[in-house]
């Protein structure tokens, strides 16, 4: 038996702009993705008889093929059948700390950890690019979850440009436990409402990507200007999620009033995050939000920007 323990961090979107439709049915996006330290732990073991076995301590996370971590293991067995035959069954134990269906890419990060872990356990020596390419076949967020840190993501989110790493920024995450937003619903509703303004011409798409690349958010990141980063947070999906989910809007407004650097919904929501400059301030804001909203269904976390993606924390 060989095993590794890995940390699979969550991500937030500092910027999410929908540019248009793609022939594959996804959307053409420009995003700035940021890893945070809130992470699931993945214990990965190979050896003995058996096939692929996934378990998770969270009741809403499936153990079958619909688990993205399962599909990551399955993909590796298809790509490297000799290793699978040589090393034996794969067991994946997921300890969930990242809220589920939250817009924080928990499932994608679990899949990323399985790819990174099996590369190590099977002594494959894949490059990061090769791992990211495999990851992209599982989901648009998987390549970023492998890379971590801060990145500009284009295409459907799988094409990454690494940006200068940001640290020293703290994040408060807020999510109502019983609330989740379906990512396909959010994008389909956006398409219904806003597709008339989609860019169609490939030159226009490229021009807009270039504008974001040399625009104010990337400039603020390059200069580590936290105040500007806070002011420039943007997420097009808020236009469809906030009107439908007043609780999410209330979280946004509450954070805003408490004087954070910036606040925004992450991905397709419903998690709302707020940025502050110190850990002390983050805890103070967390307590204030808890008092003001006073709803036992509300979960809050304090975390910080992370520089790395998947990390190995143990193995034998
Ligand atoms: P994204 O930001 O990539 O849209 P998310 O944070 O909104 O992701 P996830 O937590 O990844 O959403 O999970 C969405 C759904 O996928 C859940 O309803 C869950 O049943 C299913 N799922 C499959 N595999 C996993 C996994 N390993 N962890 C969490 N959820 C998973």
């Amino acid at each position: 038996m060989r095993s590794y323990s890995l940390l699979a961090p969550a991500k937030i979107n500092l910027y999410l702009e929908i540019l248009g439709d793609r022939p594959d049915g996804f959307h053409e996006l420009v995003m700035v993705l940021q890893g945070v330290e809130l992470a699931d732990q993945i214990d990965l073991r190979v050896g003995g008889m058996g096939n692929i076995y996934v378990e998770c301590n969270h009741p809403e996370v499936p153990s079958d093929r619909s688990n993205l971590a399962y599909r990551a293991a399955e993909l590796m067995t298809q790509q490297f059948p000799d290793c699978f035959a040589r090393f034996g069954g794969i067991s994946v134990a997921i300890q969930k700390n990242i809220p589920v269906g939250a817009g924080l890419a928990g499932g994608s990060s679990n899949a990323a950890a399985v790819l990174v872990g099996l590369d190590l356990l099977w002594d494959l020596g894949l490059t990061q690019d090769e791992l990211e390419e495999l990851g992209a076949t599982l989901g648009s967020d998987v390549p970023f979850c492998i890379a971590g840190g801060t990145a500009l993501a284009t295409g459907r989110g799988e094409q990454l440009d690494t940006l200068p790493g940001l640290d020293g920024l703290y994040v408060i995450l807020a999510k109502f436990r019983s609330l989740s937003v379906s990512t396909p619903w959010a994008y389909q509703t956006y398409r219904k409402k806003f597709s008339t303004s989609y860019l169609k011409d490939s030159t226009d798409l490229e021009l807009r990507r270039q504008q974001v690349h040399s625009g104010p958010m990337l400039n603020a990141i390059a200069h580590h200007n936290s105040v500007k980063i806070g002011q420039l947070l943007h997420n097009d999906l808020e236009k469809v999620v906030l009107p439908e989910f007043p609780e999410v809007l209330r979280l946004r407004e509450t954070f805003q009033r408490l004087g954070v650097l910036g606040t925004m919904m992450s991905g397709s929501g419903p998690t709302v995050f707020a940025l502050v400059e110190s850990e002390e301030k983050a805890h103070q804001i967390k307590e204030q939000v808890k008092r003001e909203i006073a709803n036992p269904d509300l979960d809050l976390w304090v975390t910080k920007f992370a520089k790395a993606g998947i990390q190995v924390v143990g193995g034998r």
Side-chain angles (χ1 to χ4, degrees):
M1 286 277 179
R2 301 180 74 194
S3 66
Y4 270 109
S5 293
L6 304 109
L7 287 183
K11 65 91 187 127
I12 56 173
N13 300 73
L14 300 180
Y15 189 90
L16 189 163
E17 183 178 330
I18 299 174
L19 302 187
D21 264 323
R22 291 165 56 93
D24 60 11
F26 286 93
H27 277 93
E28 220 26 89
L29 305 171
V30 188
M31 302 189 283
V32 177
L33 301 173
Q34 173 63 55
V36 296
E37 287 191 351
L38 177 70
D40 292 339
Q41 182 169 324
I42 308 295
D43 293 310
L44 195 61
R45 209 152 32 93
V46 294
M49 301 287 283
N51 204 338
I52 299 168
Y53 178 75
V54 174
E55 61 175 2
C56 180
N57 64 341
H58 193 296
E60 283 163 37
V61 176
S63 296
D64 59 12
R65 220 185 148 261
S66 62
N67 192 308
L68 212 49
Y70 187 108
R71 290 222 292 282
E74 189 178 56
L75 173 70
M76 292 297 272
T77 64
Q78 288 158 356
Q79 294 286 317
F80 307 100
D82 295 350
C83 290
F84 186 37
R86 187 168 138 224
F87 289 97
I90 302 168
S91 130
V92 185
I94 304 169
Q95 194 181 305
K96 263 285 153 202
N97 300 310
I98 304 172
V100 175
L104 299 172
S108 303
S109 194
N110 294 174
V114 169
L115 298 181
V116 170
L118 283 176
D119 173 53
L120 294 169
L121 287 166
W122 287 353
D123 302 320
L124 289 168
L126 297 175
T127 63
Q128 182 162 317
D129 279 354
E130 287 167 335
L131 285 167
E132 287 178 14
E133 218 168 285
L134 284 171
T137 67
L138 294 165
S140 310
D141 283 340
V142 180
F144 173 76
C145 292
I146 294 170
T150 314
L152 181 75
T154 53
R156 53 187 172 89
E158 86 292 9
Q159 289 167 30
L160 303 176
D161 272 327
T162 306
L163 298 175
L166 292 166
D167 51 8
L169 270 181
Y170 286 82
V171 184
I172 309 118
L173 299 170
K175 178 183 180 286
F176 289 101
R177 211 171 306 125
S178 60
L179 203 68
S180 62
V181 175
S182 144
T183 304
W185 171 84
Y187 279 101
Q188 279 158 22
T189 310
Y190 191 91
R191 181 181 284 123
K192 268 187 221 145
K193 287 196 174 172
F194 300 106
S195 64
T196 49
S197 58
Y198 281 5
L199 300 176
K200 293 193 173 60
D201 188 89
S202 59
T203 318
D204 293 339
L205 284 166
E206 186 48 29
L207 185 65
R208 183 62 198 141
R209 280 192 283 265
Q210 291 299 332
Q211 282 169 344
V212 175
H213 202 282
S214 53
M217 177 54 110
L218 267 69
N219 190 43
I221 291 172
H223 291 93
H224 286 234
N225 186 334
S226 344
V227 173
K228 274 264 175 306
I229 294 170
Q231 289 166 350
L232 293 166
L233 297 174
H234 175 83
N235 185 346
D236 271 343
L237 290 174
E238 284 201 338
K239 291 180 217 159
V240 293
V241 178
L242 297 192
E244 201 68 30
F245 296 91
E247 308 91 322
V248 181
L249 177 62
R250 182 163 179 222
L251 283 175
R252 283 274 274 111
E253 289 171 347
T254 308
F255 275 130
Q256 201 104 51
R257 211 163 0 89
L258 294 174
V260 296
L261 290 170
T263 175
M264 190 60 44
M265 185 181 81
S266 183
S268 55
T271 303
V272 172
F273 69 87
L275 305 182
V276 291
E277 263 165 337
S278 77
E279 188 170 10
E280 193 190 347
K281 174 108 181 169
H283 284 287
Q284 193 188 321
I285 299 274
K286 177 184 158 183
E287 291 310 315
Q288 276 174 291
V289 173
K290 205 194 275 181
R291 261 199 311 276
E292 283 202 22
I293 297 197
N295 182 339
D297 194 40
L298 178 64
D299 283 329
L300 290 145
W301 298 259
V302 167
T303 185
K304 63 193 275 213
F305 280 19
K307 277 193 163 174
I310 304 300
Q311 286 193 74
V312 176
V313 287
R316 65 195 153 82

Short mmCIF file of all heavy atoms in Angstrom, two decimals, residues 33-66:
data_model
loop_
_atom_site.label_atom_id
_atom_site.label_comp_id
_atom_site.label_asym_id
_atom_site.label_seq_id
_atom_site.Cartn_x
_atom_site.Cartn_y
_atom_site.Cartn_z
N LEU A 33 -8.86 34.28 -11.18
CA LEU A 33 -9.11 33.27 -10.15
C LEU A 33 -8.06 33.38 -9.06
O LEU A 33 -6.87 33.62 -9.35
CB LEU A 33 -9.06 31.87 -10.78
CG LEU A 33 -10.06 31.61 -11.91
CD1 LEU A 33 -9.81 30.26 -12.56
CD2 LEU A 33 -11.48 31.67 -11.39
N GLN A 34 -8.51 33.18 -7.83
CA GLN A 34 -7.59 33.28 -6.69
C GLN A 34 -7.81 32.09 -5.75
O GLN A 34 -8.94 31.86 -5.30
CB GLN A 34 -7.86 34.60 -5.94
CG GLN A 34 -7.09 34.76 -4.65
CD GLN A 34 -5.58 34.81 -4.86
OE1 GLN A 34 -5.10 35.62 -5.64
NE2 GLN A 34 -4.83 33.93 -4.19
N GLY A 35 -6.75 31.35 -5.47
CA GLY A 35 -6.86 30.25 -4.50
C GLY A 35 -6.88 30.80 -3.08
O GLY A 35 -6.29 31.85 -2.80
N VAL A 36 -7.59 30.10 -2.20
CA VAL A 36 -7.60 30.49 -0.78
C VAL A 36 -7.18 29.27 0.06
O VAL A 36 -7.15 28.15 -0.44
CB VAL A 36 -8.99 31.01 -0.32
CG1 VAL A 36 -9.35 32.29 -1.05
CG2 VAL A 36 -10.08 29.96 -0.50
N GLU A 37 -6.86 29.52 1.33
CA GLU A 37 -6.32 28.41 2.13
C GLU A 37 -7.37 27.43 2.63
O GLU A 37 -7.01 26.33 3.05
CB GLU A 37 -5.49 28.97 3.30
CG GLU A 37 -4.19 29.53 2.79
CD GLU A 37 -3.19 29.88 3.88
OE1 GLU A 37 -3.57 29.84 5.08
OE2 GLU A 37 -2.05 30.20 3.53
N LEU A 38 -8.65 27.80 2.61
CA LEU A 38 -9.69 26.83 3.00
C LEU A 38 -9.60 25.64 2.04
O LEU A 38 -9.70 25.82 0.83
CB LEU A 38 -11.07 27.49 2.90
CG LEU A 38 -12.26 26.57 3.20
CD1 LEU A 38 -12.30 26.20 4.68
CD2 LEU A 38 -13.58 27.21 2.78
N ALA A 39 -9.40 24.44 2.59
CA ALA A 39 -9.11 23.30 1.72
C ALA A 39 -9.75 22.02 2.24
O ALA A 39 -9.94 21.84 3.45
CB ALA A 39 -7.60 23.10 1.63
N ASP A 40 -10.05 21.11 1.31
CA ASP A 40 -10.43 19.74 1.67
C ASP A 40 -9.16 18.93 1.83
O ASP A 40 -8.12 19.28 1.25
CB ASP A 40 -11.26 19.10 0.55
CG ASP A 40 -12.63 19.74 0.39
OD1 ASP A 40 -13.11 20.38 1.35
OD2 ASP A 40 -13.22 19.60 -0.71
N GLN A 41 -9.23 17.86 2.63
CA GLN A 41 -8.08 16.94 2.67
C GLN A 41 -8.44 15.67 1.91
O GLN A 41 -9.51 15.09 2.10
CB GLN A 41 -7.69 16.60 4.10
CG GLN A 41 -6.46 15.68 4.09
CD GLN A 41 -5.83 15.50 5.45
OE1 GLN A 41 -5.79 16.42 6.26
NE2 GLN A 41 -5.32 14.30 5.71
N ILE A 42 -7.53 15.27 1.03
CA ILE A 42 -7.75 14.08 0.22
C ILE A 42 -6.71 13.04 0.62
O ILE A 42 -5.50 13.29 0.50
CB ILE A 42 -7.56 14.39 -1.29
CG1 ILE A 42 -8.39 15.60 -1.74
CG2 ILE A 42 -7.86 13.16 -2.16
CD1 ILE A 42 -9.88 15.43 -1.66
N ASP A 43 -7.18 11.90 1.13
CA ASP A 43 -6.25 10.80 1.43
C ASP A 43 -6.40 9.77 0.33
O ASP A 43 -7.47 9.18 0.14
CB ASP A 43 -6.58 10.20 2.80
CG ASP A 43 -6.30 11.20 3.91
OD1 ASP A 43 -5.19 11.78 3.91
OD2 ASP A 43 -7.20 11.44 4.73
N LEU A 44 -5.29 9.58 -0.37
CA LEU A 44 -5.30 8.75 -1.57
C LEU A 44 -4.42 7.54 -1.33
O LEU A 44 -3.28 7.67 -0.85
CB LEU A 44 -4.71 9.62 -2.70
CG LEU A 44 -4.87 9.19 -4.13
CD1 LEU A 44 -6.33 9.12 -4.51
CD2 LEU A 44 -4.16 10.21 -5.05
N ARG A 45 -4.95 6.36 -1.63
CA ARG A 45 -4.21 5.13 -1.38
C ARG A 45 -4.28 4.23 -2.61
O ARG A 45 -5.34 4.15 -3.25
CB ARG A 45 -4.85 4.41 -0.19
CG ARG A 45 -3.95 3.56 0.64
CD ARG A 45 -4.43 3.46 2.09
NE ARG A 45 -5.88 3.52 2.27
CZ ARG A 45 -6.68 2.45 2.32
NH1 ARG A 45 -6.19 1.24 2.20
NH2 ARG A 45 -7.98 2.60 2.52
N VAL A 46 -3.19 3.60 -2.97
CA VAL A 46 -3.26 2.60 -4.04
C VAL A 46 -2.72 1.28 -3.50
O VAL A 46 -1.82 1.26 -2.66
CB VAL A 46 -2.45 3.02 -5.31
CG1 VAL A 46 -3.08 4.23 -5.97
CG2 VAL A 46 -0.98 3.24 -5.03
N GLY A 47 -3.29 0.18 -4.01
CA GLY A 47 -2.79 -1.14 -3.61
C GLY A 47 -3.92 -2.13 -3.45
O GLY A 47 -5.08 -1.75 -3.33
N GLY A 48 -3.57 -3.38 -3.47
CA GLY A 48 -4.54 -4.45 -3.25
C GLY A 48 -5.49 -4.64 -4.41
O GLY A 48 -5.30 -4.10 -5.50
N MET A 49 -6.52 -5.40 -4.12
CA MET A 49 -7.51 -5.71 -5.15
C MET A 49 -8.46 -4.52 -5.28
O MET A 49 -8.34 -3.56 -4.55
CB MET A 49 -8.33 -6.94 -4.73
CG MET A 49 -7.49 -8.17 -4.51
SD MET A 49 -6.91 -8.85 -6.05
CE MET A 49 -8.41 -9.64 -6.61
N GLY A 50 -9.38 -4.63 -6.14
CA GLY A 50 -10.44 -3.63 -6.22
C GLY A 50 -10.25 -2.65 -7.34
O GLY A 50 -9.27 -2.70 -8.07
N ASN A 51 -11.23 -1.76 -7.42
CA ASN A 51 -11.26 -0.82 -8.53
C ASN A 51 -11.03 0.58 -8.00
O ASN A 51 -9.95 0.88 -7.49
CB ASN A 51 -12.64 -0.97 -9.20
CG ASN A 51 -12.61 -0.52 -10.62
OD1 ASN A 51 -11.75 0.26 -11.01
ND2 ASN A 51 -13.57 -0.97 -11.39
N ILE A 52 -12.07 1.44 -8.08
CA ILE A 52 -11.96 2.80 -7.55
C ILE A 52 -12.99 2.93 -6.43
O ILE A 52 -14.16 2.56 -6.61
CB ILE A 52 -12.25 3.85 -8.65
CG1 ILE A 52 -11.23 3.72 -9.79
CG2 ILE A 52 -12.23 5.26 -8.07
CD1 ILE A 52 -11.59 4.51 -11.04
N TYR A 53 -12.54 3.44 -5.31
CA TYR A 53 -13.43 3.56 -4.18
C TYR A 53 -13.32 4.97 -3.62
O TYR A 53 -12.22 5.44 -3.31
CB TYR A 53 -13.04 2.51 -3.12
CG TYR A 53 -13.87 2.58 -1.88
CD1 TYR A 53 -15.18 2.11 -1.87
CD2 TYR A 53 -13.34 3.12 -0.70
CE1 TYR A 53 -15.95 2.18 -0.73
CE2 TYR A 53 -14.11 3.20 0.45
CZ TYR A 53 -15.41 2.73 0.43
OH TYR A 53 -16.18 2.81 1.55
N VAL A 54 -14.48 5.68 -3.53
CA VAL A 54 -14.47 7.06 -3.02
C VAL A 54 -15.38 7.16 -1.81
O VAL A 54 -16.49 6.62 -1.81
CB VAL A 54 -14.95 8.06 -4.12
CG1 VAL A 54 -15.10 9.47 -3.55
CG2 VAL A 54 -14.00 8.07 -5.31
N GLU A 55 -14.91 7.84 -0.76
CA GLU A 55 -15.79 8.12 0.38
C GLU A 55 -15.59 9.55 0.82
O GLU A 55 -14.51 10.13 0.62
CB GLU A 55 -15.54 7.15 1.55
CG GLU A 55 -14.14 7.26 2.08
CD GLU A 55 -13.89 6.39 3.31
OE1 GLU A 55 -14.80 5.67 3.75
OE2 GLU A 55 -12.77 6.47 3.83
N CYS A 56 -16.66 10.13 1.40
CA CYS A 56 -16.58 11.52 1.83
C CYS A 56 -17.39 11.67 3.11
O CYS A 56 -18.46 11.06 3.24
CB CYS A 56 -17.12 12.43 0.74
SG CYS A 56 -17.07 14.18 1.18
N ASN A 57 -16.90 12.50 4.03
CA ASN A 57 -17.61 12.67 5.31
C ASN A 57 -18.81 13.61 5.19
O ASN A 57 -19.51 13.85 6.16
CB ASN A 57 -16.64 13.21 6.37
CG ASN A 57 -16.11 14.60 6.02
OD1 ASN A 57 -16.17 15.03 4.86
ND2 ASN A 57 -15.61 15.32 6.99
N HIS A 58 -19.04 14.18 3.98
CA HIS A 58 -20.17 15.10 3.79
C HIS A 58 -21.33 14.34 3.14
O HIS A 58 -21.17 13.75 2.07
CB HIS A 58 -19.72 16.26 2.90
CG HIS A 58 -20.69 17.40 2.88
ND1 HIS A 58 -21.97 17.28 2.38
CD2 HIS A 58 -20.57 18.68 3.30
CE1 HIS A 58 -22.58 18.44 2.50
NE2 HIS A 58 -21.76 19.31 3.06
N PRO A 59 -22.54 14.37 3.78
CA PRO A 59 -23.64 13.54 3.28
C PRO A 59 -24.11 13.89 1.87
O PRO A 59 -24.68 13.04 1.18
CB PRO A 59 -24.76 13.79 4.30
CG PRO A 59 -24.39 15.05 5.01
CD PRO A 59 -22.89 15.13 4.99
N GLU A 60 -23.88 15.13 1.41
CA GLU A 60 -24.38 15.51 0.07
C GLU A 60 -23.40 15.19 -1.05
O GLU A 60 -23.70 15.41 -2.22
CB GLU A 60 -24.68 17.01 0.03
CG GLU A 60 -25.98 17.39 0.70
CD GLU A 60 -26.03 18.87 1.00
OE1 GLU A 60 -25.55 19.67 0.18
OE2 GLU A 60 -26.54 19.21 2.09
N VAL A 61 -22.25 14.70 -0.68
CA VAL A 61 -21.25 14.42 -1.73
C VAL A 61 -21.34 12.96 -2.14
O VAL A 61 -21.22 12.07 -1.29
CB VAL A 61 -19.83 14.78 -1.24
CG1 VAL A 61 -18.79 14.40 -2.28
CG2 VAL A 61 -19.73 16.27 -0.92
N PRO A 62 -21.59 12.70 -3.41
CA PRO A 62 -21.76 11.31 -3.86
C PRO A 62 -20.45 10.51 -3.83
O PRO A 62 -19.37 11.10 -3.87
CB PRO A 62 -22.25 11.47 -5.31
CG PRO A 62 -21.73 12.80 -5.75
CD PRO A 62 -21.67 13.66 -4.53
N SER A 63 -20.58 9.19 -3.77
CA SER A 63 -19.38 8.33 -3.76
C SER A 63 -19.21 7.60 -5.09
O SER A 63 -18.25 6.89 -5.30
CB SER A 63 -19.51 7.27 -2.67
OG SER A 63 -19.55 7.88 -1.43
N ASP A 64 -20.21 7.77 -5.95
CA ASP A 64 -20.16 7.03 -7.22
C ASP A 64 -19.47 7.86 -8.31
O ASP A 64 -18.80 8.85 -8.03
CB ASP A 64 -21.58 6.63 -7.64
CG ASP A 64 -22.48 7.85 -7.82
OD1 ASP A 64 -21.96 8.98 -7.84
OD2 ASP A 64 -23.71 7.67 -7.93
N ARG A 65 -19.69 7.47 -9.54
CA ARG A 65 -19.06 8.11 -10.69
C ARG A 65 -19.40 9.58 -10.84
O ARG A 65 -18.72 10.31 -11.55
CB ARG A 65 -19.51 7.35 -11.95
CG ARG A 65 -18.41 7.16 -12.92
CD ARG A 65 -18.81 6.53 -14.21
NE ARG A 65 -17.94 7.11 -15.22
CZ ARG A 65 -18.28 8.09 -16.01
NH1 ARG A 65 -19.49 8.61 -15.94
NH2 ARG A 65 -17.40 8.56 -16.88
N SER A 66 -20.49 10.03 -10.17
CA SER A 66 -20.84 11.45 -10.28
C SER A 66 -19.92 12.32 -9.43
O SER A 66 -19.98 13.55 -9.52
CB SER A 66 -22.31 11.67 -9.93
OG SER A 66 -22.53 11.28 -8.59
#
